[in-house]
Coordinates of all heavy atoms in Angstrom, one line a residue:
M1 N 25.1 -52.2 -160.9 CA 24.6 -50.8 -160.9 C 25.6 -49.9 -160.3 O 26.0 -50.2 -159.2 CB 23.2 -50.8 -160.3 CG 22.2 -51.7 -160.9 SD 20.5 -51.4 -160.4 CE 20.0 -50.1 -161.5
V2 N 25.9 -48.8 -160.9 CA 26.9 -47.9 -160.4 C 26.6 -46.5 -160.8 O 26.0 -46.3 -161.9 CB 28.3 -48.4 -160.9 CG1 28.4 -48.3 -162.4 CG2 29.4 -47.6 -160.3
G3 N 26.9 -45.6 -160.0 CA 26.8 -44.2 -160.3 C 27.8 -43.7 -161.4 O 28.7 -44.4 -161.6
D4 N 27.5 -42.5 -161.9 CA 28.4 -42.0 -163.0 C 29.8 -41.7 -162.4 O 30.8 -42.0 -163.0 CB 27.8 -40.8 -163.7 CG 27.3 -39.7 -162.8 OD1 27.0 -40.0 -161.6 OD2 27.2 -38.6 -163.2
G5 N 29.8 -41.2 -161.1 CA 31.1 -40.9 -160.5 C 31.8 -42.2 -160.2 O 33.0 -42.3 -160.6
G6 N 31.2 -43.2 -159.6 CA 31.8 -44.4 -159.3 C 32.3 -45.2 -160.5 O 33.3 -45.8 -160.5
A7 N 31.5 -45.0 -161.6 CA 31.9 -45.7 -162.9 C 33.2 -45.2 -163.5 O 33.9 -45.9 -164.2 CB 30.8 -45.5 -163.9
T8 N 33.6 -44.0 -163.1 CA 34.9 -43.5 -163.5 C 36.1 -44.1 -162.8 O 37.2 -43.9 -163.2 CB 35.0 -42.0 -163.4 OG1 35.0 -41.6 -162.1 CG2 33.8 -41.3 -164.2
Y9 N 35.8 -44.8 -161.7 CA 36.8 -45.4 -160.9 C 37.4 -46.7 -161.4 O 38.5 -47.1 -161.1 CB 36.4 -45.6 -159.4 CG 36.5 -44.3 -158.6 CD1 35.7 -43.2 -159.0 CD2 37.3 -44.2 -157.5 CE1 35.7 -42.0 -158.2 CE2 37.4 -43.0 -156.8 CZ 36.6 -41.9 -157.2 OH 36.7 -40.8 -156.5
A10 N 36.6 -47.4 -162.1 CA 37.1 -48.8 -162.6 C 36.5 -49.1 -163.9 O 36.0 -50.2 -164.1 CB 36.6 -49.8 -161.5
P11 N 36.8 -48.3 -165.0 CA 36.2 -48.6 -166.3 C 36.9 -49.8 -166.9 O 36.3 -50.4 -167.9 CB 36.5 -47.3 -167.1 CG 37.7 -46.7 -166.4 CD 37.5 -47.0 -164.9
Q12 N 38.0 -50.2 -166.4 CA 38.7 -51.4 -166.9 C 37.9 -52.7 -166.7 O 38.1 -53.7 -167.4 CB 40.1 -51.6 -166.3 CG 40.2 -51.9 -164.9 CD 40.2 -50.6 -164.0 OE1 39.7 -49.6 -164.4 NE2 40.9 -50.7 -162.9
A13 N 36.8 -52.6 -165.8 CA 35.9 -53.7 -165.6 C 35.2 -54.1 -167.0 O 34.9 -55.3 -167.2 CB 34.9 -53.4 -164.6
L14 N 35.0 -53.1 -167.8 CA 34.3 -53.3 -169.1 C 35.2 -54.2 -170.0 O 34.8 -55.2 -170.6 CB 34.1 -52.0 -169.8 CG 33.0 -51.1 -169.1 CD1 33.2 -49.6 -169.7 CD2 31.6 -51.6 -169.5
W15 N 36.5 -53.8 -170.0 CA 37.4 -54.5 -170.9 C 37.6 -56.0 -170.4 O 37.6 -56.9 -171.2 CB 38.8 -53.8 -170.8 CG 39.8 -54.4 -171.7 CD1 40.0 -54.3 -173.0 CD2 40.9 -55.3 -171.2 NE1 41.1 -55.0 -173.4 CE2 41.7 -55.6 -172.3 CE3 41.2 -55.8 -169.9 CZ2 42.8 -56.5 -172.2 CZ3 42.3 -56.6 -169.8 CH2 43.1 -57.0 -170.9
S16 N 37.6 -56.1 -169.0 CA 37.8 -57.5 -168.5 C 36.6 -58.3 -168.8 O 36.8 -59.5 -169.1 CB 38.0 -57.4 -166.9 OG 39.2 -56.6 -166.6
A17 N 35.4 -57.8 -168.7 CA 34.2 -58.6 -169.0 C 34.2 -59.0 -170.4 O 33.9 -60.2 -170.7 CB 33.0 -57.7 -168.7
R18 N 34.6 -58.1 -171.3 CA 34.7 -58.5 -172.7 C 35.8 -59.6 -173.0 O 35.5 -60.6 -173.6 CB 35.0 -57.2 -173.5 CG 35.5 -57.5 -174.9 CD 34.4 -57.5 -175.9 NE 35.0 -57.8 -177.2 CZ 34.4 -57.7 -178.3 NH1 33.1 -57.4 -178.3 NH2 34.9 -58.0 -179.5
R19 N 36.9 -59.4 -172.4 CA 38.1 -60.3 -172.6 C 37.7 -61.7 -172.1 O 38.1 -62.7 -172.7 CB 39.3 -59.7 -171.8 CG 40.5 -60.6 -171.9 CD 41.6 -60.1 -171.0 NE 42.6 -61.1 -170.7 CZ 43.7 -61.3 -171.3 NH1 44.0 -60.5 -172.4 NH2 44.5 -62.2 -171.0
E20 N 37.0 -61.7 -170.9 CA 36.8 -63.0 -170.2 C 35.4 -63.6 -170.6 O 34.9 -64.6 -170.1 CB 36.8 -62.9 -168.7 CG 38.2 -62.4 -168.2 CD 39.4 -63.3 -168.5 OE1 39.1 -64.6 -168.6 OE2 40.5 -62.9 -168.7
S21 N 34.7 -62.9 -171.5 CA 33.3 -63.3 -172.0 C 32.4 -63.4 -170.8 O 31.6 -64.4 -170.7 CB 33.4 -64.5 -172.8 OG 34.2 -64.4 -174.0
V22 N 32.4 -62.5 -169.9 CA 31.4 -62.5 -168.8 C 30.2 -61.7 -169.2 O 30.3 -60.6 -169.5 CB 32.1 -61.9 -167.5 CG1 31.1 -62.0 -166.3 CG2 33.4 -62.6 -167.2
P23 N 29.0 -62.3 -169.1 CA 27.8 -61.6 -169.6 C 27.2 -60.7 -168.5 O 26.0 -60.7 -168.2 CB 26.9 -62.8 -169.9 CG 27.3 -63.8 -168.9 CD 28.8 -63.7 -168.7
V24 N 28.0 -59.8 -168.0 CA 27.6 -58.8 -167.0 C 26.9 -57.6 -167.7 O 27.4 -57.2 -168.8 CB 28.7 -58.4 -166.1 CG1 29.8 -57.7 -166.9 CG2 28.3 -57.5 -165.0
V25 N 25.8 -57.1 -167.1 CA 25.2 -55.9 -167.7 C 25.5 -54.8 -166.7 O 25.1 -54.8 -165.5 CB 23.7 -56.1 -167.8 CG1 23.0 -54.8 -168.2 CG2 23.4 -57.3 -168.7
F26 N 26.3 -53.8 -167.1 CA 26.7 -52.7 -166.3 C 25.6 -51.6 -166.5 O 25.3 -51.2 -167.6 CB 28.0 -52.1 -166.8 CG 29.2 -53.0 -166.7 CD1 29.5 -53.8 -167.7 CD2 29.9 -53.0 -165.6 CE1 30.6 -54.7 -167.6 CE2 31.0 -53.9 -165.5 CZ 31.4 -54.7 -166.5
V27 N 25.0 -51.2 -165.4 CA 24.0 -50.1 -165.5 C 24.6 -48.9 -164.8 O 24.8 -48.9 -163.6 CB 22.7 -50.5 -164.8 CG1 21.6 -49.4 -165.0 CG2 22.1 -51.8 -165.4
V28 N 24.8 -47.8 -165.6 CA 25.4 -46.6 -165.1 C 24.2 -45.6 -164.9 O 23.6 -45.1 -165.8 CB 26.4 -46.0 -166.0 CG1 27.0 -44.7 -165.5 CG2 27.6 -47.0 -166.3
L29 N 24.0 -45.2 -163.6 CA 23.0 -44.3 -163.2 C 23.6 -42.9 -163.2 O 24.3 -42.5 -162.3 CB 22.4 -44.6 -161.9 CG 21.8 -46.0 -161.8 CD1 21.4 -46.4 -160.4 CD2 20.6 -46.2 -162.7
D30 N 23.3 -42.1 -164.2 CA 24.0 -40.8 -164.5 C 23.1 -39.6 -164.1 O 22.2 -39.2 -164.7 CB 24.3 -40.7 -166.0 CG 25.1 -39.5 -166.4 OD1 25.4 -38.7 -165.5 OD2 25.5 -39.4 -167.5
N31 N 23.5 -39.1 -162.9 CA 22.9 -37.8 -162.5 C 23.9 -36.6 -162.6 O 23.6 -35.5 -162.0 CB 22.4 -37.9 -161.0 CG 23.5 -38.3 -160.0 OD1 24.7 -38.4 -160.4 ND2 23.1 -38.3 -158.7
R32 N 25.0 -36.9 -163.3 CA 25.9 -35.8 -163.7 C 26.6 -35.2 -162.4 O 26.9 -34.0 -162.4 CB 25.3 -34.8 -164.6 CG 24.9 -35.4 -165.9 CD 24.0 -34.5 -166.7 NE 22.7 -34.3 -166.0 CZ 21.7 -35.2 -165.9 NH1 21.8 -36.3 -166.5 NH2 20.6 -34.9 -165.3
E33 N 26.7 -36.0 -161.4 CA 27.4 -35.4 -160.2 C 27.8 -36.6 -159.3 O 27.3 -37.7 -159.3 CB 26.5 -34.5 -159.4 CG 25.3 -35.2 -158.8 CD 24.3 -34.2 -158.0 OE1 24.4 -33.0 -158.3 OE2 23.6 -34.7 -157.2
Y34 N 28.9 -36.3 -158.4 CA 29.2 -37.1 -157.3 C 28.2 -36.8 -156.2 O 28.6 -36.1 -155.3 CB 30.7 -36.8 -156.9 CG 31.8 -37.2 -157.8 CD1 32.3 -36.3 -158.7 CD2 32.2 -38.5 -157.9 CE1 33.3 -36.6 -159.6 CE2 33.3 -38.9 -158.8 CZ 33.8 -37.9 -159.6 OH 34.8 -38.3 -160.5
G35 N 27.0 -37.4 -156.4 CA 25.9 -37.0 -155.5 C 26.2 -37.2 -154.0 O 25.9 -36.3 -153.2
L36 N 26.7 -38.4 -153.6 CA 26.8 -38.7 -152.2 C 27.9 -37.8 -151.6 O 27.7 -37.2 -150.5 CB 27.2 -40.1 -152.0 CG 27.4 -40.6 -150.6 CD1 26.2 -40.5 -149.8 CD2 28.0 -42.0 -150.6
L37 N 29.0 -37.6 -152.3 CA 30.1 -36.7 -151.8 C 29.6 -35.3 -151.7 O 29.9 -34.5 -150.8 CB 31.3 -36.8 -152.7 CG 31.9 -38.2 -152.9 CD1 33.2 -38.1 -153.8 CD2 32.3 -38.8 -151.6
K38 N 28.8 -34.8 -152.7 CA 28.3 -33.5 -152.7 C 27.4 -33.3 -151.4 O 27.5 -32.2 -150.8 CB 27.4 -33.3 -153.9 CG 27.1 -31.9 -154.3 CD 26.4 -31.8 -155.6 CE 26.4 -30.5 -156.2 NZ 25.6 -30.5 -157.5
E39 N 26.5 -34.3 -151.1 CA 25.6 -34.2 -150.0 C 26.4 -34.2 -148.7 O 26.1 -33.4 -147.8 CB 24.6 -35.4 -150.0 CG 23.7 -35.4 -148.9 CD 22.8 -34.2 -148.8 OE1 22.7 -33.4 -149.7 OE2 22.1 -34.0 -147.7
Q40 N 27.5 -35.1 -148.6 CA 28.3 -35.1 -147.4 C 29.0 -33.7 -147.2 O 29.0 -33.2 -146.1 CB 29.4 -36.1 -147.5 CG 28.8 -37.5 -147.2 CD 29.9 -38.6 -147.3 OE1 31.0 -38.3 -147.8 NE2 29.6 -39.8 -146.7
A41 N 29.5 -33.2 -148.3 CA 30.2 -31.9 -148.2 C 29.2 -30.8 -147.7 O 29.5 -29.9 -146.9 CB 30.8 -31.5 -149.5
R42 N 28.0 -30.8 -148.2 CA 26.9 -29.8 -147.8 C 26.6 -30.0 -146.3 O 26.6 -29.0 -145.6 CB 25.7 -30.0 -148.7 CG 24.6 -28.9 -148.5 CD 23.3 -29.3 -149.2 NE 22.7 -30.4 -148.6 CZ 22.0 -30.3 -147.4 NH1 21.9 -29.2 -146.8 NH2 21.4 -31.4 -146.9
V43 N 26.4 -31.2 -145.9 CA 26.1 -31.4 -144.5 C 27.2 -31.0 -143.6 O 27.0 -30.4 -142.5 CB 25.8 -33.0 -144.2 CG1 25.7 -33.3 -142.8 CG2 24.5 -33.3 -144.9
Q44 N 28.5 -31.1 -144.0 CA 29.6 -30.7 -143.2 C 30.0 -29.3 -143.4 O 31.0 -28.8 -142.9 CB 30.8 -31.7 -143.5 CG 30.5 -33.1 -143.0 CD 31.6 -34.1 -143.5 OE1 32.7 -33.7 -143.9 NE2 31.3 -35.4 -143.4
G45 N 29.3 -28.6 -144.3 CA 29.6 -27.2 -144.5 C 30.8 -27.0 -145.4 O 31.5 -25.9 -145.3
L46 N 31.2 -28.0 -146.1 CA 32.5 -27.9 -146.9 C 32.1 -27.6 -148.3 O 32.3 -28.4 -149.2 CB 33.2 -29.3 -146.8 CG 33.6 -29.7 -145.5 CD1 34.2 -31.2 -145.6 CD2 34.7 -28.8 -144.9
T47 N 31.7 -26.4 -148.6 CA 31.3 -26.0 -149.9 C 32.5 -25.4 -150.7 O 32.4 -25.3 -151.9 CB 30.2 -25.0 -149.9 OG1 30.6 -23.9 -149.1 CG2 28.9 -25.6 -149.4
K48 N 33.5 -25.1 -150.0 CA 34.7 -24.5 -150.7 C 36.0 -25.3 -150.3 O 36.2 -25.6 -149.2 CB 34.9 -23.0 -150.3 CG 33.8 -22.1 -150.7 CD 33.9 -21.8 -152.2 CE 32.8 -20.8 -152.6 NZ 32.7 -20.7 -154.1
A49 N 36.8 -25.6 -151.3 CA 38.1 -26.2 -151.1 C 39.1 -25.1 -150.7 O 38.7 -23.9 -150.5 CB 38.5 -27.0 -152.3
A50 N 40.4 -25.5 -150.7 CA 41.4 -24.5 -150.4 C 41.4 -23.3 -151.4 O 41.0 -23.5 -152.5 CB 42.8 -25.2 -150.5
A51 N 41.8 -22.1 -150.9 CA 41.9 -20.9 -151.7 C 40.5 -20.5 -152.3 O 40.4 -19.9 -153.3 CB 42.9 -21.1 -152.8
G52 N 39.4 -20.9 -151.6 CA 38.1 -20.5 -152.1 C 37.6 -21.2 -153.3 O 36.6 -20.8 -153.8
R53 N 38.3 -22.2 -153.8 CA 37.8 -22.9 -155.0 C 36.7 -23.8 -154.7 O 36.6 -24.4 -153.7 CB 39.0 -23.6 -155.7 CG 40.1 -22.8 -156.2 CD 41.3 -23.6 -156.7 NE 40.9 -24.5 -157.7 CZ 41.6 -25.6 -158.0 NH1 42.7 -25.9 -157.4 NH2 41.2 -26.4 -159.0
S54 N 35.7 -23.8 -155.6 CA 34.6 -24.8 -155.4 C 35.1 -26.2 -155.5 O 36.0 -26.5 -156.3 CB 33.5 -24.5 -156.5 OG 33.0 -23.3 -156.4
L55 N 34.5 -27.1 -154.7 CA 34.8 -28.5 -154.8 C 34.2 -29.0 -156.1 O 33.0 -28.8 -156.4 CB 34.2 -29.2 -153.6 CG 35.0 -28.9 -152.3 CD1 34.1 -29.5 -151.1 CD2 36.3 -29.6 -152.3
P56 N 34.9 -29.7 -156.9 CA 34.4 -30.2 -158.2 C 33.5 -31.5 -158.1 O 34.0 -32.6 -158.3 CB 35.7 -30.5 -159.0 CG 36.7 -30.9 -158.0 CD 36.4 -30.1 -156.7
M57 N 32.3 -31.3 -157.7 CA 31.4 -32.4 -157.5 C 30.4 -32.6 -158.7 O 29.7 -33.6 -158.7 CB 30.5 -32.1 -156.2 CG 31.3 -32.0 -155.0 SD 32.2 -33.5 -154.5 CE 32.8 -33.0 -152.9
D58 N 30.4 -31.7 -159.6 CA 29.6 -31.9 -160.8 C 30.4 -32.5 -161.9 O 31.5 -32.0 -162.2 CB 29.0 -30.5 -161.2 CG 28.0 -30.0 -160.2 OD1 27.1 -30.7 -159.8 OD2 28.1 -28.8 -159.9
L59 N 29.8 -33.5 -162.6 CA 30.5 -34.1 -163.7 C 30.0 -33.4 -165.0 O 29.1 -33.8 -165.7 CB 30.1 -35.6 -163.8 CG 30.8 -36.4 -162.7 CD1 30.2 -37.8 -162.5 CD2 32.3 -36.6 -163.1
D60 N 30.6 -32.2 -165.1 CA 30.3 -31.3 -166.2 C 31.6 -30.8 -166.8 O 32.4 -30.2 -166.2 CB 29.5 -30.1 -165.6 CG 29.1 -29.1 -166.7 OD1 29.0 -29.5 -167.8 OD2 28.9 -27.9 -166.3
P61 N 31.8 -31.1 -168.1 CA 30.9 -31.7 -169.1 C 30.6 -33.2 -168.7 O 31.4 -33.8 -168.1 CB 31.6 -31.6 -170.4 CG 33.1 -31.5 -170.0 CD 33.1 -30.8 -168.7
P62 N 29.4 -33.7 -169.1 CA 29.0 -35.0 -168.7 C 29.9 -36.0 -169.5 O 30.5 -35.7 -170.5 CB 27.6 -35.1 -169.2 CG 27.4 -34.1 -170.2 CD 28.4 -33.0 -169.8
L63 N 29.9 -37.3 -169.0 CA 30.7 -38.3 -169.6 C 29.8 -39.2 -170.6 O 28.6 -39.4 -170.3 CB 31.3 -39.2 -168.6 CG 32.4 -38.5 -167.8 CD1 32.3 -38.9 -166.3 CD2 33.7 -38.8 -168.4
D64 N 30.4 -39.6 -171.7 CA 29.7 -40.5 -172.7 C 30.1 -41.9 -172.4 O 31.1 -42.4 -172.9 CB 30.1 -40.0 -174.1 CG 29.3 -40.8 -175.2 OD1 28.7 -41.9 -174.8 OD2 29.4 -40.4 -176.3
F65 N 29.3 -42.6 -171.5 CA 29.6 -43.9 -171.1 C 29.4 -44.9 -172.3 O 30.1 -46.0 -172.2 CB 28.8 -44.3 -169.9 CG 29.2 -43.6 -168.6 CD1 28.5 -42.4 -168.2 CD2 30.3 -43.9 -167.9 CE1 28.9 -41.7 -167.1 CE2 30.8 -43.2 -166.8 CZ 30.0 -42.1 -166.4
G66 N 28.6 -44.6 -173.2 CA 28.5 -45.5 -174.4 C 29.8 -45.5 -175.2 O 30.2 -46.6 -175.6
A67 N 30.4 -44.3 -175.3 CA 31.6 -44.2 -176.0 C 32.7 -45.0 -175.2 O 33.6 -45.6 -175.8 CB 32.0 -42.8 -176.3
L68 N 32.7 -44.8 -173.9 CA 33.6 -45.5 -173.1 C 33.5 -47.1 -173.3 O 34.5 -47.7 -173.4 CB 33.4 -45.2 -171.6 CG 34.3 -45.8 -170.6 CD1 35.8 -45.3 -170.8 CD2 33.8 -45.5 -169.2
A69 N 32.3 -47.6 -173.3 CA 32.1 -49.0 -173.5 C 32.6 -49.4 -174.8 O 33.2 -50.4 -175.0 CB 30.6 -49.3 -173.3
A70 N 32.2 -48.6 -175.9 CA 32.6 -48.9 -177.2 C 34.1 -49.0 -177.3 O 34.6 -49.9 -178.1 CB 32.1 -47.9 -178.2
S71 N 34.9 -48.3 -176.6 CA 36.3 -48.3 -176.7 C 36.9 -49.6 -176.2 O 38.0 -49.9 -176.4 CB 36.9 -47.1 -175.9 OG 36.9 -47.3 -174.5
T72 N 36.1 -50.4 -175.4 CA 36.5 -51.7 -174.9 C 35.8 -52.8 -175.7 O 35.9 -54.0 -175.3 CB 36.2 -51.8 -173.4 OG1 34.8 -51.9 -173.2 CG2 36.8 -50.7 -172.6
G73 N 35.0 -52.5 -176.7 CA 34.3 -53.5 -177.5 C 33.1 -53.9 -176.9 O 32.5 -55.0 -177.3
V74 N 32.5 -53.2 -175.9 CA 31.3 -53.5 -175.2 C 30.2 -52.7 -175.8 O 30.3 -51.4 -175.9 CB 31.4 -53.4 -173.7 CG1 30.0 -53.5 -173.0 CG2 32.4 -54.4 -173.1
S75 N 29.0 -53.3 -176.2 CA 27.9 -52.5 -176.7 C 27.1 -51.8 -175.6 O 27.2 -52.2 -174.5 CB 27.0 -53.4 -177.6 OG 26.5 -54.4 -176.7
S76 N 26.3 -50.8 -176.0 CA 25.6 -50.1 -175.0 C 24.3 -49.6 -175.5 O 24.0 -49.6 -176.7 CB 26.4 -48.9 -174.5 OG 26.5 -47.9 -175.6
T77 N 23.4 -49.3 -174.6 CA 22.1 -48.7 -174.9 C 21.9 -47.5 -174.0 O 22.3 -47.5 -172.8 CB 21.0 -49.7 -174.6 OG1 21.2 -50.9 -175.2 CG2 19.6 -49.1 -175.0
K78 N 21.4 -46.4 -174.5 CA 21.1 -45.2 -173.7 C 19.6 -45.1 -173.4 O 18.8 -45.2 -174.4 CB 21.7 -44.0 -174.4 CG 21.7 -42.8 -173.5 CD 22.5 -41.6 -174.1 CE 22.7 -40.5 -173.1 NZ 23.6 -39.5 -173.6
V79 N 19.3 -44.9 -172.2 CA 17.9 -44.7 -171.8 C 17.7 -43.5 -170.9 O 18.7 -43.1 -170.2 CB 17.3 -45.9 -171.1 CG1 17.2 -47.2 -172.0 CG2 18.0 -46.2 -169.8
T80 N 16.6 -42.8 -171.0 CA 16.4 -41.7 -170.2 C 15.2 -41.8 -169.3 O 15.1 -41.2 -168.3 CB 16.2 -40.4 -171.0 OG1 15.2 -40.7 -172.1 CG2 17.5 -40.0 -171.7
M81 N 14.2 -42.7 -169.7 CA 13.0 -42.8 -168.9 C 13.1 -44.0 -168.0 O 13.4 -45.1 -168.5 CB 11.8 -43.0 -169.9 CG 11.5 -41.8 -170.8 SD 11.0 -40.3 -169.9 CE 9.3 -40.9 -169.4
S82 N 12.8 -43.8 -166.7 CA 12.9 -45.0 -165.8 C 11.9 -46.1 -166.2 O 12.2 -47.2 -165.9 CB 12.7 -44.5 -164.4 OG 11.4 -43.9 -164.3
A83 N 10.8 -45.7 -166.9 CA 9.8 -46.7 -167.3 C 10.4 -47.7 -168.3 O 9.9 -48.8 -168.3 CB 8.6 -46.0 -167.9
T84 N 11.4 -47.3 -169.0 CA 12.0 -48.2 -170.0 C 13.2 -49.0 -169.5 O 13.7 -49.9 -170.1 CB 12.4 -47.5 -171.3 OG1 13.5 -46.6 -170.9 CG2 11.3 -46.7 -171.9
L85 N 13.7 -48.7 -168.3 CA 14.9 -49.2 -167.8 C 14.8 -50.8 -167.6 O 15.7 -51.5 -168.0 CB 15.4 -48.5 -166.5 CG 16.7 -49.0 -165.9 CD1 17.8 -48.8 -167.0 CD2 17.1 -48.1 -164.7
G86 N 13.7 -51.2 -167.0 CA 13.5 -52.6 -166.7 C 13.5 -53.5 -167.9 O 14.2 -54.5 -168.0
A87 N 12.8 -53.0 -168.9 CA 12.8 -53.8 -170.2 C 14.1 -53.8 -170.9 O 14.5 -54.8 -171.5 CB 11.7 -53.2 -171.1
T88 N 14.9 -52.7 -170.7 CA 16.2 -52.6 -171.4 C 17.2 -53.5 -170.7 O 18.0 -54.2 -171.3 CB 16.7 -51.2 -171.3 OG1 15.8 -50.3 -171.9 CG2 18.0 -51.0 -172.0
I89 N 17.1 -53.6 -169.3 CA 17.9 -54.6 -168.6 C 17.6 -56.0 -169.0 O 18.5 -56.8 -169.2 CB 17.8 -54.3 -167.1 CG1 18.4 -53.0 -166.7 CG2 18.5 -55.5 -166.3 CD1 18.1 -52.6 -165.2
R90 N 16.3 -56.3 -169.0 CA 15.9 -57.7 -169.4 C 16.5 -58.1 -170.8 O 17.0 -59.2 -171.0 CB 14.4 -57.9 -169.3 CG 13.9 -58.1 -167.9 CD 12.4 -58.5 -167.9 NE 11.6 -57.4 -168.3 CZ 11.2 -56.5 -167.4 NH1 11.5 -56.6 -166.1 NH2 10.4 -55.5 -167.7
A91 N 16.3 -57.2 -171.7 CA 16.8 -57.5 -173.1 C 18.3 -57.6 -173.1 O 18.9 -58.5 -173.8 CB 16.4 -56.3 -174.0
A92 N 19.1 -56.8 -172.3 CA 20.5 -56.9 -172.3 C 20.9 -58.3 -171.6 O 21.9 -58.9 -172.1 CB 21.1 -55.8 -171.5
L93 N 20.2 -58.7 -170.6 CA 20.5 -60.0 -169.9 C 20.3 -61.1 -170.9 O 21.1 -62.1 -170.9 CB 19.7 -60.2 -168.7 CG 20.1 -59.3 -167.5 CD1 19.0 -59.3 -166.4 CD2 21.4 -59.7 -166.9
Q94 N 19.3 -61.0 -171.7 CA 19.0 -62.1 -172.6 C 20.0 -62.3 -173.7 O 20.2 -63.3 -174.3 CB 17.6 -61.9 -173.2 CG 16.5 -62.4 -172.3 CD 15.1 -62.0 -172.8 OE1 14.9 -61.5 -173.9 NE2 14.1 -62.3 -172.0
R95 N 20.7 -61.2 -174.0 CA 21.7 -61.3 -175.1 C 22.9 -62.1 -174.7 O 23.6 -62.6 -175.6 CB 22.2 -59.8 -175.5 CG 21.3 -59.2 -176.5 CD 22.0 -58.1 -177.3 NE 22.5 -57.0 -176.4 CZ 21.7 -56.0 -176.0 NH1 20.4 -55.9 -176.4 NH2 22.2 -55.1 -175.2
G96 N 23.1 -62.2 -173.4 CA 24.2 -63.2 -172.9 C 25.6 -62.7 -173.2 O 26.5 -63.6 -173.3
E97 N 25.8 -61.4 -173.3 CA 27.2 -60.9 -173.4 C 27.3 -59.6 -172.7 O 26.3 -59.0 -172.3 CB 27.5 -60.7 -174.9 CG 26.7 -59.6 -175.6 CD 27.0 -59.4 -177.0 OE1 27.7 -60.3 -177.6 OE2 26.6 -58.3 -177.5
A98 N 28.5 -59.2 -172.4 CA 28.8 -58.0 -171.7 C 28.1 -56.8 -172.4 O 28.3 -56.7 -173.6 CB 30.2 -57.7 -171.4
S99 N 27.5 -55.9 -171.7 CA 26.9 -54.7 -172.3 C 26.7 -53.7 -171.2 O 26.8 -53.9 -170.0 CB 25.6 -55.0 -173.0 OG 24.6 -55.4 -172.0
L100 N 26.5 -52.4 -171.6 CA 26.3 -51.3 -170.7 C 25.0 -50.6 -171.0 O 24.7 -50.4 -172.2 CB 27.5 -50.4 -170.8 CG 27.6 -49.1 -169.9 CD1 29.0 -48.8 -169.5 CD2 26.9 -47.9 -170.6
I101 N 24.3 -50.2 -170.0 CA 23.2 -49.3 -170.1 C 23.4 -48.0 -169.5 O 23.7 -47.9 -168.3 CB 21.9 -50.0 -169.5 CG1 21.6 -51.3 -170.2 CG2 20.7 -49.1 -169.5 CD1 20.6 -52.2 -169.5
H102 N 23.4 -47.0 -170.3 CA 23.7 -45.6 -169.8 C 22.3 -45.0 -169.5 O 21.5 -44.6 -170.4 CB 24.4 -44.8 -170.8 CG 24.8 -43.4 -170.4 ND1 25.5 -42.6 -171.2 CD2 24.6 -42.8 -169.2 CE1 25.8 -41.4 -170.5 NE2 25.2 -41.5 -169.3
A103 N 22.0 -44.9 -168.2 CA 20.6 -44.4 -167.8 C 20.8 -42.9 -167.3 O 21.3 -42.7 -166.2 CB 20.1 -45.3 -166.7
G104 N 20.2 -42.0 -168.1 CA 20.2 -40.6 -167.7 C 19.1 -40.4 -166.7 O 17.9 -40.7 -167.0
L105 N 19.4 -39.8 -165.6 CA 18.4 -39.5 -164.5 C 18.0 -38.0 -164.6 O 18.8 -37.2 -164.9 CB 19.0 -39.9 -163.1 CG 19.5 -41.3 -163.0 CD1 20.0 -41.5 -161.6 CD2 18.4 -42.3 -163.3
D106 N 16.8 -37.7 -164.1 CA 16.4 -36.3 -164.0 C 17.1 -35.7 -162.9 O 17.5 -36.3 -161.9 CB 14.9 -36.3 -163.7 CG 14.1 -36.8 -164.9 OD1 14.6 -36.8 -166.1 OD2 12.9 -37.2 -164.7
Ligands
LIG1 C1 36.5 -47.7 -154.7 C2 35.9 -46.4 -154.0 N1 36.5 -45.2 -154.3 C3 36.0 -44.1 -153.8 C4 34.9 -44.1 -153.0 C5 34.3 -42.9 -152.4 N2 33.0 -42.5 -152.9 C6 31.9 -42.6 -152.2 S1 30.6 -42.1 -153.1 C7 31.5 -41.7 -154.4 C8 31.0 -41.1 -155.7 C9 29.5 -41.1 -155.7 O1 29.0 -40.6 -157.0 P1 28.2 -41.4 -158.0 O2 28.9 -42.8 -158.2 O3 28.0 -40.6 -159.2 O4 26.9 -41.7 -157.2 P2 25.7 -40.7 -156.8 O5 25.8 -40.4 -155.4 O6 25.8 -39.5 -157.7 O7 24.4 -41.5 -157.1 C10 32.8 -41.9 -154.2 C11 33.9 -41.6 -155.1 C12 34.3 -45.4 -152.7 N3 33.2 -45.5 -152.0 N4 34.8 -46.5 -153.2
LIG2 MG1 26.3 -39.5 -159.7

């Protein structure tokens, strides 16, 4: 399970899982922001970077993680309701191959 921000740091893991036939299920929890870094910056009063520019903590435009997975040959499912996430993870695990679940959060 990884945040949308963190998922941008190591997308090659998708390709490796496919290449090595590792049946890992990647769950990307997408709140469209680097939430932890944003909160830290707020607590420390760091709302502006150099020259008055805003710190880029929002992932806007949002990323299409299904398309990212597809580019490595990994299939994906998109879910928005937390109520369906558990069933989606179970189904993905049962398939026995690498896959990605893109979970949009409120
Ligand atoms: C390998 C690595 N690079 C960078 C960081 C610094 N870091 C901490 S939290 C974070 C991003 C958090 O955003 P996200 O993954 O979207 O999670 P959220 O807080 O929004 O749920 C980063 C880059 C880290 N912890 N590990
Ligand atoms: Mg995030």
Side-chain angles (χ1 to χ4, degrees):
M1 300 193 85
V2 63
D4 50 337
T8 65
Y9 276 65
Q12 66 271 29
L14 291 162
W15 180 84
S16 297
R18 163 88 182 193
R19 177 187 160 95
E20 303 297 332
S21 300
V22 181
V24 61
V25 177
F26 299 89
V27 182
V28 180
L29 302 173
D30 185 355
N31 59 359
R32 297 163 300 282
E33 65 181 21
Y34 291 98
L36 182 62
L37 300 183
K38 195 177 197 178
E39 178 62 12
Q40 280 182 346
R42 190 189 66 77
V43 168
Q44 294 172 15
L46 301 172
T47 54
K48 295 284 181 189
R53 293 175 56 199
S54 296
L55 290 166
M57 300 294 187
D58 292 312
L59 286 163
D60 182 23
L63 290 143
D64 184 343
F65 290 98
L68 180 66
S71 76
T72 66
V74 170
S75 63
S76 70
T77 308
K78 191 165 189 174
V79 295
T80 50
M81 299 290 291
S82 58
T84 63
L85 184 55
T88 306
I89 292 173
R90 276 190 289 277
L93 287 169
Q94 279 173 2
R95 276 202 299 276
E97 62 179 20
S99 65
L100 180 145
I101 297 169
H102 185 179
L105 305 181
D106 294 338

